[in-house]
Amino acid sequence: MNEYINLTLENIDDEHICCAIGDKKHQAGVNSKKEWIKNKLKDGHVFRKLDARGKNFIEYEPIETAWVPISGKNYVYIYCLWVAGSFKGKGIAKELLEYAIKDSKKKGMSGICTLTSKKKKPFVGEKGFFLHYGFKVVDEIGDYELLALQFDKSATPKFNDNARNMKIENKDFTIYYSNECPYVEYEVQELSEYAKDKKIKINFIKIDTLEKAKNAPCVFNNWANFYKGEFVSNTILNANSFEKLVSK
């Protein structure tokens, strides 16, 4: 039987958070992510992971306090559901999602939702997996889709109007990011040093409050890239992937 752990204020300092296990260069990001979780626990944030050394977890919280430009009432938003490598095919993703659904119903929620895409993209959910469990597309922006599993007939969640812009006025390469993901801190530092060395302009806009997250100008889960005023991807970049992206 698979055993799981929910992070709490009492155990979070001693538990790994899956994404960047044993990767020293991302330790600062791990620390920032843990502090972010600590501050979000009071909002009903849940980080549940397999009790093993691997990338196997689900992370969710009420939509009203979730750091995404999505509005809804009495829904839960899944930030991430990740089962990696040799752990696949063992029913872990099924058990994690079923726990979240059961937990949401127990708390009297009206439904549960998550971000997916028509075409496979990094850092968003696998659409087919959620459809299998009865989730349905309730809103979309371009290739991105909001999927929801409704428990009652209350209003469905939707993307905020500001997220539909997918454009900004600044024409310089601009990155919106937050500490929702432990990888971002290192990549922001690397790209900052790269831009300074190459004498180019990259704007970094940190999403560090609920208000900023709800008012993001695009679909946002933890990172968003804009170039020449247009949204180009949600992929977390390093120096090499940045060069490839702007050379297209």
Side-chain angles (χ1 to χ4, degrees):
M1 178 181 292
N2 294 318
E3 299 291 335
Y4 298 91
I5 296 173
N6 285 22
L7 294 185
T8 66
L9 289 176
E10 289 70 33
N11 68 15
I12 190 170
D13 289 331
D14 298 320
E15 294 289 342
H16 70 73
I17 54 170
C18 302
C19 305
I21 300 173
D23 191 341
K24 292 183 179 180
K25 72 179 183 181
H26 290 296
Q27 191 56 51
V30 168
N31 294 339
S32 295
K33 168 71 173 184
K34 284 190 173 185
E35 289 303 312
W36 185 81
I37 292 174
K38 289 177 183 179
N39 290 326
K40 297 294 284 166
L41 287 173
K42 67 181 184 300
D43 296 326
H45 190 89
V46 176
F47 189 108
R48 182 173 177 82
K49 63 172 187 151
L50 184 70
D51 187 11
R53 193 168 178 79
K55 299 175 182 178
N56 309 282
F57 70 98
I58 190 169
E59 188 171 12
Y60 60 90
E61 74 173 270
I63 191 65
E64 289 88 346
T65 57
W67 282 22
V68 288
I70 299 170
S71 292
K73 185 177 181 180
N74 207 40
Y75 266 74
V76 162
Y77 177 78
I78 300 173
Y79 288 99
C80 189
L81 171 57
W82 191 359
V83 175
S86 61
F87 292 94
K88 290 183 177 180
K90 297 181 180 180
I92 297 169
K94 173 179 179 290
E95 292 174 352
L96 288 170
L97 180 59
E98 289 180 347
Y99 175 88
I101 293 171
K102 183 178 179 180
D103 184 41
S104 299
K105 288 181 176 179
K106 183 179 179 181
K107 293 172 179 174
M109 308 304 285
S110 297
I112 189 166
C113 62
T114 194
L115 179 67
T116 65
S117 56
K118 297 173 184 176
K119 299 177 182 179
K120 188 174 181 179
K121 296 181 184 294
F123 307 106
V124 297
E126 293 283 350
K127 179 179 178 180
F129 176 78
F130 290 99
L131 292 178
H132 178 74
Y133 284 91
F135 284 70
K136 295 181 180 179
V137 177
V138 295
D139 202 358
E140 60 183 85
I141 300 176
D143 286 337
Y144 295 91
E145 297 175 319
L146 181 62
L147 266 60
L149 177 64
Q150 296 175 266
F151 305 150
D152 58 38
K153 294 183 179 180
S154 62
T156 55
K158 63 178 182 178
F159 291 112
N160 293 343
D161 289 341
N162 47 272
R164 301 181 192 281
N165 293 331
M166 304 295 272
K167 294 181 180 180
I168 58 175
E169 292 185 5
N170 197 312
K171 302 302 181 182
D172 295 323
F173 200 100
T174 301
I175 295 171
Y176 287 75
Y177 73 98
S178 78
N179 287 126
E180 294 169 42
C181 176
Y183 289 115
V184 302
E185 197 142 317
Y186 179 85
E187 303 307 348
V188 167
Q189 180 182 349
E190 180 181 330
L191 285 171
S192 297
E193 294 172 355
Y194 169 86
K196 183 178 180 180
D197 181 61
K198 297 292 185 179
K199 294 181 174 57
I200 59 175
K201 184 72 176 294
I202 301 178
N203 294 321
F204 296 94
I205 300 177
K206 188 172 185 178
I207 302 293
D208 53 9
T209 67
L210 176 63
E211 182 180 9
K212 289 180 182 179
K214 292 298 186 189
N215 288 288
C218 62
V219 170
F220 181 80
N221 213 34
N222 54 51
W223 184 288
N225 301 303
F226 284 85
Y227 189 40
K228 298 179 180 179
E230 302 281 342
F231 175 86
V232 290
S233 78
N234 70 302
T235 304
I236 297 176
L237 303 175
N238 57 26
N240 288 334
S241 54
F242 170 82
E243 286 187 343
K244 291 179 181 179
L245 185 60
V246 297
S247 65
K248 289 182 179 180

